Amino acid sequence: MDNRFATAFVIACVLSLISTIYMAASIGTDFWFEYRSPIQENSSELNKSIWDDFISDEADEKTYNDALFRYNGTLGLWRRCITIPKNTHWYSPPERTESFDVVTQCFSFTLNEQFMEKFVDPGNHNSGIDLLRTYLWRCQFLLPFVSLGLMCFGALIGLCACICRSLYPTIATGILHLLAGLCTLGSVSCYVAGIKLLHQKLQLPTNVLGEFGWSFCLACVSAPLQFMASALFIWAAHTNRKEYTLMKAYRVA
């Protein structure tokens, strides 16, 4: 194996490993989108009711999004979190202080919620199904797992190539990484489109800011790393095979 191809193979493996770590971290964390709002210090009955609705299995899209807006919520692919005061006071609000203890509570989306239809008017089941938002949500949930699976399968093929001391099987690894990059890019695009469409229907309150979080950024970085690894795998395998064929033809001649 030529040193050029071996170097390209090693660099591609490093890029693949980094992108896999980034993708796994983005899937497993809850900071794809973050809301910034004033923390509610008064743990009144109204606030307590909102918290109970947030963690309820029957919470609809509008219910949990209202809580995310109000309580510095963070949203991941499979969990939603809010920041609330640590201690509840039922009969009177605590005295205002410069700082007070808060705690983050998270609740996982069930599979039924992940594949549940989205409505034209969030929270209103009689408004009709919004097919675009429904399939955007499903794609943003499924595509990252498909991407991660393709990279792991590609890594097994690359390991077999190392054992066989041949670069030719890494063409399949490169193709799988290309497909993984497309899945990651598709997931990021679906997520951005879904968030934009949601905020068109549920306007953010005037004192609330929303921004994409670092989990989303990890997925965005993972996609170009997958494309670069794919290009190196395919180039090394194809060029090495081509030179081997030319050398064999020269020897026969």
Side-chain angles (χ1 to χ4, degrees), residues 5-234:
F5 306 136
T7 302
F9 182 78
V10 171
I11 294 175
C13 289
V14 172
L15 293 175
S16 175
L17 177 61
I18 294 174
S19 66
T20 302
I21 293 173
Y22 282 3
M23 199 66 219
S26 68
I27 291 174
T29 50
D30 312 316
F31 297 92
W32 279 66
F33 201 84
E34 304 177 38
Y35 296 99
R36 295 285 179 263
S37 59
I39 296 178
Q40 304 293 324
E41 298 183 35
N42 182 8
S43 302
S44 63
E45 293 185 13
L46 174 60
N47 291 339
K48 188 65 168 63
S49 175
I50 294 175
W51 302 338
D52 291 340
D53 291 339
F54 177 79
I55 63 176
S56 172
D57 291 333
E58 300 178 356
D60 57 36
E61 187 180 24
K62 186 178 187 304
T63 299
Y64 70 73
N65 274 293
D66 285 343
L68 291 172
F69 297 163
R70 187 181 178 94
Y71 297 105
N72 287 294
T74 61
L75 191 62
L77 293 179
W78 55 281
R79 287 210 310 177
R80 56 185 187 262
C81 303
I82 56 175
T83 301
I84 61 175
K86 185 175 182 180
N87 299 314
T88 58
H89 301 264
W90 288 94
Y91 302 106
S92 62
E95 295 183 0
R96 185 179 179 86
T97 57
E98 294 183 357
S99 62
F100 56 95
D101 294 333
V102 294
V103 63
T104 299
Q105 289 191 355
C106 297
F107 187 77
S108 298
F109 292 105
T110 64
L111 282 179
N112 287 334
E113 288 177 315
Q114 294 286 11
F115 293 98
M116 187 179 296
E117 294 85 359
K118 306 295 180 183
F119 297 99
V120 174
D121 182 13
N124 183 1
H125 292 208
N126 297 321
S127 61
I129 298 174
D130 191 332
L131 291 177
L132 178 58
R133 292 200 308 117
T134 297
Y135 285 104
L136 284 174
W137 182 278
R138 293 174 181 177
C139 288
Q140 77 182 26
F141 171 70
L142 291 174
L143 287 178
F145 292 100
V146 174
S147 174
L148 199 59
L150 288 171
M151 285 191 293
C152 292
F153 187 54
L156 290 177
I157 296 178
L159 181 61
C160 294
C162 291
I163 295 175
C164 297
R165 295 185 179 182
S166 172
L167 281 176
Y168 192 66
T170 56
I171 288 182
T173 301
I175 294 174
L176 289 174
H177 276 71
L178 177 61
L179 295 175
L182 292 174
C183 289
T184 302
L185 190 60
S187 175
V188 169
S189 301
C190 289
Y191 194 86
V192 172
I195 287 291
K196 296 299 182 183
L197 291 174
L198 174 64
H199 290 166
Q200 288 178 7
K201 299 177 181 297
L202 294 178
Q203 296 291 331
L204 292 177
T206 55
N207 60 342
V208 176
L209 298 176
E211 60 184 7
F212 292 100
W214 58 266
S215 300
F216 175 82
C217 294
L218 287 178
C220 291
V221 173
S222 179
L225 293 177
Q226 291 165 342
F227 288 133
M228 288 188 287
S230 172
L232 286 172
F233 279 130
I234 294 175

